Amino acid sequence: AQSVTQPDIHITVSEGASLELRCNYSYGATPYLFWYVQSPGQGLQLLLKYFSGDTLVQGIKGFEAEFKRSQSSFNLRKPSVHWSDAAEYFCAVFSTDSWGKLQFGAGTQVVVTP
Amino acid sequence: DVKVTQSSRYLVKRTGEKVFLECVQDMDHENMFWYRQDPGLGLRLIYFSYDVKMKEKGDIPEGYSVSREKKERFSLILESASTNQTSMYLCASSIPQGFGYGYTFGSGTRLTVV
């Protein structure tokens, strides 16, 4: 079965610094991978997705992610964080068993300090 | 834009009550999902539906049921609410080929059972 691991439960970063969130997946075939962001009190918003082609994927809000098959990883990055990036971030992999369900990681809480 | 609307942002219910959480989407999506979100556990799938009157159990269906009488509406039912069902509940929808597009989420319903 597919699974997703986000090793970091909580990350604190200074405003203007770079950010990298880790995601590792377990999946036999080519995965369909997603990053979602959840701002406080809100639902989840899709940041970016990967399912084929260029392994470096650009998303909204200045985020990008790189798919590395050899490392089974799909890490999310942003060169310079803004205070508004404080949120919880979820990595997810699409399950290709019947009806295709998203399998989510446990999430990484990002705190941005001045 | 696709909108997924959850009828209540906050609910407080008593133990043993029957609770209905409503979700409506306005883009004619076939697939609809109910997730439960708890700190450190990420999102866990309760039930999903791929068509009217069709439903499938997710990873944690115990204590829950669902109803989908119309394509746009997917209801989650807690037959007899218990305190361990205190959580954030998120509804989502997608087209059948959802892997290419991900899901669209509602803003969530925070349920407290006392």
Side-chain angles (χ1 to χ4, degrees):
Chain A
Q2 296 90 342
S3 66
V4 179
T5 302
Q6 293 181 246
D8 304 305
I9 297 172
H10 187 275
I11 284 180
T12 299
V13 60
S14 299
E15 192 168 14
S18 64
L19 174 69
E20 181 166 12
L21 304 182
R22 295 183 291 165
C23 173
N24 294 101
Y25 65 89
S26 170
Y27 189 60
T30 300
Y32 299 100
L33 294 159
F34 302 81
W35 275 101
Y36 283 85
V37 60
Q38 184 181 34
S39 298
Q42 300 298 313
L44 275 69
Q45 181 183 20
L46 180 65
L47 280 176
L48 48 77
K49 59 185 183 284
Y50 170 82
F51 46 93
S52 68
D54 194 345
T55 56
L56 185 62
V57 180
Q58 301 297 320
I60 63 172
K61 302 177 186 283
F63 284 91
E64 65 178 25
E66 186 171 13
F67 171 62
K68 292 185 177 180
R69 184 187 300 276
S70 61
Q71 299 177 19
S72 297
S73 70
F74 187 57
N75 294 349
L76 182 71
R77 299 192 294 251
K78 186 168 185 178
S80 177
V81 299
H82 186 262
W83 62 266
S84 61
D85 294 322
E88 189 157 22
Y89 293 80
F90 293 93
C91 183
V93 63
F94 192 79
S95 169
T96 55
D97 62 2
S98 60
W99 315 114
K101 299 167 288 185
L102 273 178
Q103 186 81 26
F104 285 87
T108 298
Q109 185 72 47
V110 173
V111 172
V112 180
T113 59
Chain B
D1 282 351
V2 175
K3 283 198 176 158
V4 178
T5 303
Q6 295 183 232
S7 55
S8 303
R9 291 296 301 273
Y10 300 93
L11 275 179
V12 180
K13 297 292 182 180
R14 294 192 181 277
T15 301
E17 275 192 80
K18 189 169 186 176
V19 181
F20 293 85
L21 302 184
E22 305 289 346
C23 176
V24 177
Q25 51 95 2
D26 67 359
M27 283 298 287
D28 205 34
H29 281 180
E30 285 79 2
N31 295 353
M32 296 189 75
F33 307 84
W34 275 106
Y35 283 88
R36 172 177 171 159
Q37 182 182 7
D38 299 287
L41 297 177
L43 278 73
R44 294 177 292 166
L45 182 64
I46 305 171
Y47 266 97
F48 63 105
S49 169
Y50 48 87
D51 201 352
V52 176
K53 297 191 185 294
M54 305 299 283
K55 61 184 178 184
E56 291 283 339
K57 293 180 180 179
D59 300 319
I60 53 163
E62 295 78 21
Y64 303 95
S65 62
V66 290
S67 172
R68 194 166 180 198
E69 297 296 319
K70 294 184 178 181
K71 191 174 187 180
E72 67 270 19
R73 186 180 297 269
F74 191 36
S75 302
L76 180 69
I77 304 158
L78 286 66
E79 297 291 342
S80 178
S82 64
T83 55
N84 63 13
Q85 293 178 309
T86 292
S87 187
M88 170 72 91
Y89 290 88
L90 291 166
C91 176
S93 72
S94 77
I95 61 175
Q97 296 78 32
F99 63 86
Y101 303 92
Y103 295 178
T104 301
F105 281 87
S107 297
T109 296
R110 185 165 294 282
L111 173 67
T112 302
V113 182
V114 298

